[in-house]
Amino acid sequence: MPPKPDHRTPVTSPLVDRIAIIGCGGSGKTYLANRLAALLNLPLTHLDGVYYDADWNPLPQEEFADIQRKLVAEPRWLLEGNYAGTLPIRLATADTVIFLDLHAITCLVGIVRRRWKYRGGQHAQEGVYDRLTWNFIRYIWGYRKTMRPRVRQLLAEHGGDARLIALTSRRQADRFVAQLAAESTTRT
């Protein structure tokens, strides 16, 4: 039986020092980000927690962009959140982009599970502001038709040499984390 990985020791690889996780609401971005940050010992920022305050007031766009520019200037980071308007900032310096490209039904189930887990309240400590509206449900339902092409275009235009990992199921995301965990045990 292999030894358990010491998650306090970062996996030092040029491919896992600056990670951007993107995808539809309910796709599992926050869950995956929390797991990867712990595994790779990366400083984690949930962009929902930066963009919105407790009363759902958004930051001005330029202030939000400036904060991201400061975050990506650091040598190691993990930023989680879609925000296509500022995605080029993250893509410009990311070495790895994880695109959670899950079906709308899977994302809607994820939203329902999240609401059940947190009883519909905001859980800013997890980086998620749980605001369920009909517009949000329509956004999730239409994400693959409207936003996915835009995200793919931004990836092509601004992704540079970043390694793109497209995960299309929760099972694939779990296998990806398990693979990184296994790699971290062989490096330590």
Side-chain angles (χ1 to χ4, degrees):
M1 177 180 229
K4 286 188 171 187
D6 179 357
H7 296 300
R8 294 168 294 175
T9 305
V11 176
T12 52
S13 165
L15 295 178
V16 292
D17 287 331
R18 296 177 311 279
I19 301 174
I21 298 178
I22 56 177
C24 184
S27 64
K29 295 183 302 292
T30 299
Y31 180 70
L32 179 61
N34 288 335
R35 292 172 70 194
L36 290 178
L39 175 65
L40 302 172
N41 195 27
L42 285 171
L44 170 59
T45 303
H46 300 284
L47 293 177
D48 281 350
V50 173
Y51 189 66
Y52 293 108
D53 68 15
D55 295 320
W56 280 99
N57 298 307
L59 277 179
Q61 190 68 19
E62 194 51 43
E63 187 177 340
F64 185 51
D66 285 342
I67 290 170
Q68 288 180 69
R69 286 184 194 100
K70 289 176 186 164
L71 290 168
V72 301
E74 296 297 320
R76 301 185 79 234
W77 49 264
L78 194 161
L79 298 178
E80 170 269 314
N82 222 29
Y83 298 98
T86 57
L87 184 55
I89 294 168
R90 288 167 270 146
L91 295 177
T93 58
D95 53 46
T96 304
V97 177
I98 301 172
F99 181 26
L100 294 175
D101 189 14
L102 279 62
H103 191 278
I105 292 173
T106 304
C107 294
L108 288 169
V109 168
I111 295 295
V112 169
R113 284 183 181 162
R114 184 168 73 200
R115 290 205 42 96
W116 179 258
K117 180 178 180 179
Y118 294 102
R119 303 293 188 251
Q122 295 188 115
H123 41 286
Q125 70 278 5
E126 292 290 321
V128 177
Y129 285 81
D130 200 11
R131 185 176 186 189
L132 190 59
T133 65
W134 283 112
N135 282 340
F136 187 50
I137 292 169
R138 281 192 294 271
Y139 168 79
I140 291 170
W141 191 254
Y143 184 90
R144 282 184 139 187
K145 184 176 180 183
T146 58
M147 283 303 298
R148 179 170 58 172
R150 182 172 179 208
V151 167
R152 291 213 178 266
Q153 180 181 357
L154 289 168
L155 287 166
E157 292 173 1
H158 302 281
D161 295 328
R163 175 180 166 201
L164 174 61
I165 300 165
L167 302 171
T168 58
S169 71
R170 297 197 193 286
R171 183 172 286 141
Q172 279 186 346
D174 288 341
R175 281 194 301 249
F176 173 72
V177 173
Q179 178 185 353
L180 276 180
E183 289 175 9
S184 72
T185 60
T186 60
R187 294 174 205 228
T188 56

